[in-house]
Amino acid sequence: MKRTTNKIQREYMAAKALVQTLEEQEKQMEQAYIAAHGIVNPDGTTPERIYCIMDEAVFDEANKKSAAEIAACGLEAEYNDARAALIAAEDRLIEYGISIAPAGIRATLTKGAKDNYAARQKLIDLVLRLDISTVPR
């Protein structure tokens, strides 16, 4: 059976999944903090995340304390490392995509990936969806 992804694509997918997992853990910690402290917005809704707290004083306090909790358990450092690994994986994925692109458009793709966030994301998406069994060696 032929593989449809290469090592670069798999590394990107793993890095992206780790970042998303850590973001979900942070969200759960924030929700636990909000629930434990009974934080409610003036309109009666319970904020989903710390940044959704409408009362500025409550937000400042919650932000400070929840950030300290996240840092104390090591989640912040782990997230920062995972985010750096994701950016490196994105760069490798873009380099791979540009390397297999027709020679006439490589300079344009390189400039677009460097200067334009939307172009960078589109290139990442296209290379990620690429079935490598269709790429000649």
Side-chain angles (χ1 to χ4, degrees), residues 106-117:
R106 287 183 187 157
T108 304
L109 290 174
T110 301
K111 182 176 178 358
K114 180 181 172 211
D115 298 339
N116 186 316
Y117 177 79

Side-chain angles (χ1 to χ4, degrees), residues 30 33 39 41 47 49-67:
E30 287 182 9
Y33 180 90
I39 298 172
N41 282 328
R49 301 288 302 264
I50 298 294
Y51 64 81
C52 297
I53 298 172
M54 294 179 187
D55 183 318
E56 196 170 323
V58 174
F59 165 79
D60 289 340
E61 180 73 16
N63 190 40
K64 184 178 177 182
K65 288 187 178 179
S66 68

Side-chain angles (χ1 to χ4, degrees), residues 36-127:
H37 292 84
I39 298 172
V40 179
N41 282 328
D43 63 0
T45 61
T46 301
E48 247 188 71
R49 301 288 302 264
I50 298 294
Y51 64 81
C52 297
I53 298 172
M54 294 179 187
D55 183 318
E56 196 170 323
V58 174
F59 165 79
D60 289 340
E61 180 73 16
N63 190 40
K64 184 178 177 182
K65 288 187 178 179
S66 68
E69 286 178 12
I70 290 169
C73 74
L75 183 60
E76 180 181 25
E78 189 178 356
Y79 176 79
N80 290 339
D81 292 344
R83 186 77 183 128
L86 176 60
I87 291 169
E90 285 177 351
D91 291 341
R92 286 190 299 275
L93 194 64
I94 289 169
E95 285 178 30
Y96 171 70
I98 291 171
S99 74
I100 62 172
I105 64 168
R106 287 183 187 157
T108 304
L109 290 174
T110 301
K111 182 176 178 358
K114 180 181 172 211
D115 298 339
N116 186 316
Y117 177 79
R120 179 180 173 87
Q121 294 306 310
K122 186 67 171 175
L123 189 55
I124 289 169
D125 181 54
L126 289 171
V127 176

